[in-house]
Amino acid sequence: MRIEKLTKRTTIFTIFEACEGFDLHIQLIEGKHRNYVIDTGLGSKSLEPILTYLKDSEKELIVINTHHHYDHIWGNLCFKNHTIIGHRKILEAIDNDWQRATTLFIEWKQGEIEKVYPNLVFDDCVSFVDDGIEIFYAPGHAGCDIAIYDAVDQTLNVGDNIGDTPENLVPDLTCDVDTYKASLARYETYKVRHVISGHNCIMDASVFQKIRQALSNE
Ligand SMILES: [Zn+2]
């Protein structure tokens, strides 16, 4: 595990070769009023370093699932008493995928896992205005994908809407390409210094143009 302070408010917890050989990033944003953990990794053990890091914090902890895939939700059981945010479509998606994921990918689990759903869902966007946090729907990779923008530090977490390696910027898509391109366009309406994704390295906003280019070459 690597713990990297990326900006004043953002710390990235990276689990190396966490799932199917890919690294996995969990972002912590320490807002003025609340802390935000983005994605919960592969089970209870994935969260231990973050919970240790936050043990003296008295701020409310908000948890966000960028999409329903196993490597982003299996640790939800650690946050049963917290607000867990996801897109409305994630509820059905978790249900439909649980059996498959716990069969196919069980070797990647870290500690305990349990099916725990987000308890606060939204359709288009939701904001924590006093913390400068905006969470919005941007489908592409999984269909229930959301992005998290921190207006103070200008970070944007796009979940797995960027491919898993620097050589593969275009993710696997369940949505059609035009829907994904609309999500890219939405990202580009924000002023962004750091783009964070589930598995790739941290990039700047020029990645969206590179993805568009790669799409047009396909
Ligand atoms: Zn992932």
Side-chain angles (χ1 to χ4, degrees):
M1 157 95 41
R2 178 181 63 214
I3 302 176
E4 178 195 4
K5 199 153 171 61
L6 181 69
T7 68
K8 197 160 181 282
R9 301 181 2 146
T10 276
T11 305
I12 305 288
F13 296 76
T14 301
I15 308 167
F16 295 112
E17 298 180 8
C19 43
E20 300 159 71
F22 297 114
D23 296 348
L24 173 66
H25 305 301
I26 299 175
Q27 181 182 8
L28 166 68
I29 301 173
E30 293 174 86
K32 189 174 175 199
H33 302 283
R34 299 168 208 85
N35 296 315
Y36 303 83
V37 168
I38 302 173
D39 287 331
T40 65
L42 293 151
S44 55
K45 273 208 175 318
S46 297
L47 281 317
E48 280 173 6
I50 299 168
L51 296 174
T52 302
Y53 185 95
L54 288 174
K55 70 179 185 329
D56 295 326
S57 176
E58 290 174 358
K59 281 184 274 185
E60 181 187 1
L61 175 61
I62 303 288
V63 178
I64 302 163
N65 291 143
T66 58
H67 61 293
H68 72 284
H69 288 159
Y70 71 101
D71 47 319
H72 303 260
I73 64 156
W74 273 0
N76 280 7
L77 78 163
C78 295
F79 304 108
K80 282 180 183 172
N81 299 322
H82 296 268
T83 298
I84 307 178
I85 300 177
H87 189 264
R88 186 180 301 278
K89 288 184 178 173
I90 199 177
L91 303 175
E92 200 181 343
I94 289 175
D95 227 15
N96 290 340
D97 197 48
W98 187 262
Q99 186 66 38
R100 183 192 79 95
T102 52
T103 305
L104 275 182
F105 304 116
I106 200 68
E107 65 180 294
W108 301 105
K109 131 182 131 76
Q110 299 185 341
E112 301 299 314
I113 66 169
E114 191 184 319
K115 184 158 66 171
V116 175
Y117 301 95
N119 49 27
L120 178 65
V121 297
F122 66 94
D123 292 307
D124 185 64
C125 68
V126 61
S127 296
F128 291 88
V129 177
D130 56 357
D131 269 336
I133 300 291
E134 189 173 333
I135 307 167
F136 60 93
Y137 184 43
H141 172 65
C144 57
D145 314 89
I146 60 174
I148 299 90
Y149 179 61
D150 175 358
V152 177
D153 284 4
Q154 297 174 349
T155 63
L156 181 69
N157 188 319
V158 300
D160 283 1
N161 263 3
I162 293 178
D164 296 327
T165 65
E167 297 74 35
N168 293 299
L169 294 178
V170 179
D172 293 336
L173 297 174
T174 55
C175 298
D176 60 69
V177 173
D178 285 342
T179 300
Y180 177 59
K181 281 182 177 169
S183 294
L184 294 175
R186 191 166 188 179
Y187 297 151
E188 288 179 316
T189 64
Y190 294 84
K191 191 162 189 268
V192 173
R193 284 194 300 144
H194 302 285
V195 179
I196 297 146
S197 56
H199 309 283
N200 216 316
C201 49
I202 312 293
M203 300 180 184
D204 62 40
S206 68
V207 66
F208 301 127
Q209 184 53 35
K210 288 177 192 146
I211 292 173
R212 229 186 288 283
Q213 190 68 46
L215 283 170
S216 67
N217 292 340
E218 277 184 357

